[in-house]
Structure formats: structure tokens, C-alpha cells
């Protein structure tokens, strides 16, 4: 039945049932019922629409409130990349059973008196700033050590070859995380690790001796991981036959096959800037043999962004960038040189004397204090500034033949 016919029938029925005493000109009962029904329908429509809008707004607010911030900062800044994608699952790596490591104490008062601001590895013993001495597992020559969650990550190389990774807990116990692999490097946050094992590249988080959130990719014919920039892994290909080394960056989070684009003109990578996308390095000058300091775009095949060629830097010399990205300490003209990166690429490049040349063992105790082992094997502290303060730091109880290694602190 059409709505007009239904309305007409309802009007006639109610009119017949109405009281005949109703005055002329007053609405009949059918009219009143129909008008009231229309008003109710309109109210219901308005209320329903309002409820839908309110529900939509509430849902939107809820989404905004629970959505986490995608950008995080840790040491060299994290990059706002796409979510991690595991290329292939990590093969099972069974860590060795935790073994006790002898520990003891040393003269903390003497250590404090000379103001050693970081942990040290002296021969095969880890000495902490709190006065604890932990004998490390028999992992060979310690090449890297980094403070980690409730302990340390330690990389060692055996005389037979192959690098291994150990997690040493603060109670002296230890777990072998990686067995003999080709190369291992630790991230500045003290949690991530990258390594090469035969024809595969891996990166993962080390959580108190357990590997998780791992990705892997096919390794190039040549090249090994040497450092990190944000979520990227800096790769180095050693030069052969008189050729210079070259570099590239592997981005595991992109989830694509890794095909390196080696940059032969890049002769050194000193370290990342806090944006997680830019590295400070060294490139060949257009004329002459003197290398140039350079800012390189790690996300775009190490494209050169800026150069500063007035500094006297050693080709392939050691160097390191402070955690806040302001200072560079690098070898140049037979000495370590301190460079203020805030003005180095604005035509105001200058380098101050910063003491003896660096070895590959250096760590920033804070944003302006570098502790490193010189090429002569001495522990040196450099306080950055307009006029850097350089001081040789004696190590209590260290023998003349004991090898020193500076432990990277967690500055995040």
C-alpha cells in the first residue's frame, strides 16, 4: 500500500472514531497522530545521525591516542623507515650454556683517582668503573666491547680465525651468542649486532644473550659489516692490488635483496650523525692526493652532500664522531685532530691538535669526552672544546705488554 493511501485510510478511521463535539477548525485526531509520528521520525533521524558522528569521533580519538610515535631516538637517531620485514628466518643458533667467569675487585680508589670514565678491557680482564674485575671467557683477542643491558657484549677472535660474540652478565656469567663467523660489528645502542657468516648477512637484537628480531640477506662476493648508521649497516670492501677500500650501506628493514653499490671514492667512514641517515667520511679530492672530509647520504648510495678539503687528514686514518654529531677526532699530519662539524662544511674548517694519533680503540664517554688507546698503546683522554684538553691516563695494574681496549658505554 502506498504511503498516501495508508495516510488517507488512517485519517478516515480515526475521524470516524473521533468525538463529534470537536470544534470546527481544530485538527482531527488523524492529523494529530500523523503529525506526531512525523515529528518522532525526524527526532529519531537526528539522534541517530548524532550518535553515528559521536561514535566516529570517539573511534578516531581512540586511534589517535593508541597510535605510537613512529620516530624514536637512540644514539645515532633511528630512521623513520617502513616496518621491519624478515627476508628469511634466522637459522637456529644454540648459544653455549652460561659458564661462570672468575671475578673480583681491584683498587677502585686508584681507578677513580685517575678519572677513567669508561670500562676497560686489560689483557683478558674486564674492569668496570665500579671496581669489579671480570675474567673474560677464552674468546681470543678482544676486538670490540660494548656496554649492554645488564652486562656487556664482547667480540673476540681466536688464533684459528673466526669471530665470536659473547654476552657477559654483570654477575660474571657469560653466554656465547655467535660461534665462529666471518665478521661481527656492534651498534652504538649496545643492543643490535650485524655479522657475516659465509654467503649470508645477518642483523639482530641481542637481548641478554638471546638473538631476536633477526633479518638476513645474501652477502655480496666481497664485503663485511663494520658499523651502523641508524637502522643501516655500513659495509666495507677491502681494497686489493693497491686499490682503495670502498663502502656501501645495507638497509635490512627495506626487506629487499641486497645489491651493493660500492663507492670507490669513499676511503673512510668515521661515523654517523644523529639523523640516522648521514655519515661523516673521507673522499678523494678532485685534484691531488689529499683526501677531503665529507658528508655522505647513507640512504642514497653514499652520495656526497658536502666536502671540506682544507683539513690535513690522513688517508685511511682512524677517526670517530661524537654521539651528538658535533665533534670529529681523526688522524691528520701525524697527530689526532679535533674538528667542529657544526662549521666544518661552511668554509670555516679548522682542526685543533688533539694529542697522539688514534688506534681503532676509541669510545666517547659523553658528548664531549673521548677516551682512546693511542698507537703507542697509551690510554688518552680528549676533552673537546675550542682548545681541547689532552691527557694521558695511567691504568692501575696494567702491565707494559697488556693490551688495552676501551668499552663503549650506552649513551642512549
Amino acid at each position: 500500500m502506498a504511503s498516501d493511501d495508508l495516510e488517507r485510510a488512517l485519517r478516515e478511521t480515526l475521524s470516524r472514531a473521533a468525538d463529534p463535539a470537536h470544534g470546527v477548525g481544530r485538527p482531527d485526531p488523524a492529523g494529530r497522530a500523523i503529525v506526531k509520528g512525523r515529528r518522532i521520525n525526524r527526532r529519531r533521524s537526528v539522534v541517530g545521525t548524532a550518535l553515528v558522528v559521536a561514535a566516529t569521533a570517539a573511534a578516531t580519538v581512540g586511534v589517535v591516542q593508541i597510535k605510537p610515535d613512529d620516530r624514536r631516538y637512540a644514539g645515532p637517531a633511528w630512521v623513520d623507515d617502513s616496518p621491519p620485514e624478515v627476508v628469511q628466518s634466522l637459522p637456529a643458533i644454540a648459544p653455549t650454556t652460561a659458564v661462570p667467569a672468575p671475578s673480583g675487585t681491584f683498587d677502585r680508589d686508584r681507578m677513580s683517582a685517575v678519572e677513567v670514565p669508561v670500562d676497560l678491557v686489560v689483557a683478558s680482564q674486564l674492569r668496570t668503573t665500579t671496581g669489579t674485575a671480570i675474567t673474560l671467557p677464552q674468546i681470543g683477542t678482544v676486538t670490540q666491547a660494548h656496554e649492554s643491558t645488564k652486562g656487556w657484549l664482547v667480540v673476540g677472535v681466536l688464533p684459528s680465525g673466526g669471530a665470536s660474540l659473547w654476552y657477559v652478565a654483570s654477575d660474571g656469567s657469560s653466554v656465547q651468542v655467535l660461534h665462529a663467523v666471518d665478521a661481527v660489528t656492534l651498534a652504538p645502542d649496545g643492543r643490535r649486532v650485524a655479522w657475516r657468516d659465509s654467503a649470508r648477512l645477518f642483523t639482530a637484537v641481542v637481548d641478554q644473550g638471546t638473538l631476536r628480531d633477526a633479518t638476513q640477506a645474501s652477502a655480496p662476493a666481497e664485503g663485511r659489516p663494520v658499523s651502523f648508521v641508524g637502522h643501516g649497516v655500513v659495509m666495507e670492501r677491502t681494497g686489493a692490488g693497491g686499490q682503495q677500500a670502498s663502502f656501501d650501506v645495507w638497509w635490512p628493514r627495506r626487506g629487499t635483496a641486497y645489491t651493493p653499490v660500492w663507492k670507490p671514492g669513499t676511503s673512510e667512514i668515521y661515523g654517523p650523525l644523529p639523523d640516522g641517515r648521514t655519515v661523516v667520511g673521507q673522499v678523494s679530492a678532485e685534484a691531488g692526493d689529499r683526501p677531503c672530509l665529507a658528508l655522505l647520504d647513507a640512504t642514497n648510495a653514499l652520495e656526497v652532500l658536502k666536502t671540506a678539503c682544507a683539513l690535513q687528514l690522513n688517508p685511511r686514518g682512524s677517526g670517530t664522531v661524537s654521539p651528538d654529531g658535533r665533534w670529529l677526532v681523526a688522524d691528520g699530519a701525524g697527530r689526532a685532530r679535533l674538528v667542529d662539524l657544526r662549521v666544518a662544511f661552511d668554509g670555516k674548517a679548522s682542526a685543533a691538535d688533539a694529542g697522539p694519533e688514534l688506534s681503532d680503540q676509541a669510545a666517547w664517554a659523553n658528548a664531549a669526552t673521548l677516551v682512546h688507546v693511542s698507537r703507542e698503546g697509551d690510554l688518552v683522554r680528549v676533552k673537546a672544546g675550542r682548545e681541547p684538553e689532552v691527557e694521558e691516563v695511567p691504568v692501575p695494574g696494567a702491565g707494559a705488554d697488556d693490551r688495552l681496549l676501551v668499552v663503549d658505554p650506552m649513551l642512549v
Side-chain angles (χ1 to χ4, degrees), residues 367-385:
T369 303
L370 177 70
V371 181
H372 72 92
V373 180
S374 70
R375 295 184 185 276
E376 291 74 29
D378 300 319
L379 192 67
V380 179
R381 179 177 57 234
V382 180
K383 290 186 177 181

Side-chain angles (χ1 to χ4, degrees), residues 4-357:
D4 292 342
D5 297 334
L6 179 62
E7 183 175 330
R8 187 180 304 106
L10 178 61
R11 185 184 299 275
E12 291 175 354
T13 301
L14 292 178
S15 296
R16 286 194 297 268
D19 185 354
H22 283 277
V24 177
R26 298 193 56 182
D28 58 8
R32 291 195 301 269
I34 293 171
V35 170
K36 185 175 181 180
R38 290 174 177 171
R39 288 176 181 172
I40 291 174
N41 286 335
R42 283 197 298 269
R43 287 176 187 149
R44 287 177 178 174
S45 298
V46 172
V47 171
T49 303
L51 288 175
V52 170
V53 172
T56 303
T60 304
V61 172
V63 170
V64 171
Q65 289 176 342
I66 66 174
K67 185 179 186 300
D69 189 0
D70 290 333
R71 184 177 293 277
R72 296 177 293 171
Y73 175 81
W78 295 72
V79 188
D80 190 14
D81 283 341
S82 57
E85 179 177 349
V86 177
V87 180
Q88 293 182 14
S89 60
L90 184 70
I93 298 178
T96 60
T97 304
V99 295
S103 62
T105 59
F106 61 93
D107 195 337
R108 183 173 182 271
D109 293 335
R110 290 178 60 194
M111 191 78 161
S112 300
V114 296
E115 297 183 1
V116 178
V118 294
D119 299 338
L120 299 174
V121 175
V122 182
S124 60
Q125 191 178 68
L126 173 63
R127 298 185 180 184
T128 72
T129 56
T130 61
T132 302
I134 299 175
T135 300
L136 297 173
Q138 296 184 0
I139 61 175
T141 302
V142 177
T143 59
Q144 300 175 67
H146 203 302
E147 185 183 2
S148 188
T149 305
K150 299 181 180 180
W152 300 265
L153 295 177
V154 180
V155 178
V157 177
L158 295 171
S160 57
S164 60
L165 174 65
W166 294 73
Y167 171 75
V168 180
S170 55
D171 63 0
S173 62
S174 59
V175 176
Q176 188 174 10
V177 183
L178 291 176
H179 302 279
V181 296
D182 297 325
V184 180
T185 189
L186 304 175
D189 59 12
R191 299 178 62 249
R192 291 172 297 150
V193 59
W195 70 97
R196 176 169 183 155
D197 189 4
S198 188
R200 306 297 296 175
L201 289 174
F202 301 89
T203 182
V205 172
V206 184
D207 185 4
Q208 299 184 52
T210 302
L211 294 174
R212 60 178 180 82
D213 299 340
T215 58
Q216 66 169 305
S218 296
E222 299 177 279
R224 62 189 179 94
V226 292
S227 62
F228 280 76
V229 50
H231 289 299
V233 179
V234 178
M235 301 287 296
E236 180 183 13
R237 183 178 63 176
T238 304
Q243 295 181 349
Q244 287 186 334
S246 51
F247 294 85
D248 189 48
V249 181
W250 169 43
W251 295 94
R253 284 195 163 201
R254 292 179 178 175
T256 57
Y258 172 50
T259 303
V261 182
W262 301 110
K263 296 292 262 188
T266 303
S267 56
E268 187 58 75
I269 298 292
Y270 292 129
L273 294 183
D275 64 357
R277 302 172 183 268
T278 310
V279 293
V280 181
Q282 184 186 104
V283 297
S284 301
E286 294 182 0
D289 297 329
R290 178 180 297 176
C292 298
L293 186 67
L295 290 182
L296 307 171
D297 184 355
T299 65
N300 188 21
L302 294 175
E303 178 185 358
V304 177
L305 302 175
K306 294 182 179 180
T307 59
C309 300
L311 302 169
Q312 296 181 349
L313 300 178
N314 290 351
R316 297 290 296 160
S318 297
T320 178
V321 179
S322 63
D324 62 356
R326 175 176 179 179
W327 302 105
L328 166 69
V329 178
D331 291 340
R335 300 284 287 177
R337 316 289 292 178
L338 176 69
V339 179
D340 188 344
L341 294 174
R342 295 182 307 172
V343 297
F345 299 97
D346 298 331
K348 303 176 182 178
S350 62
D353 185 278
E357 288 187 316

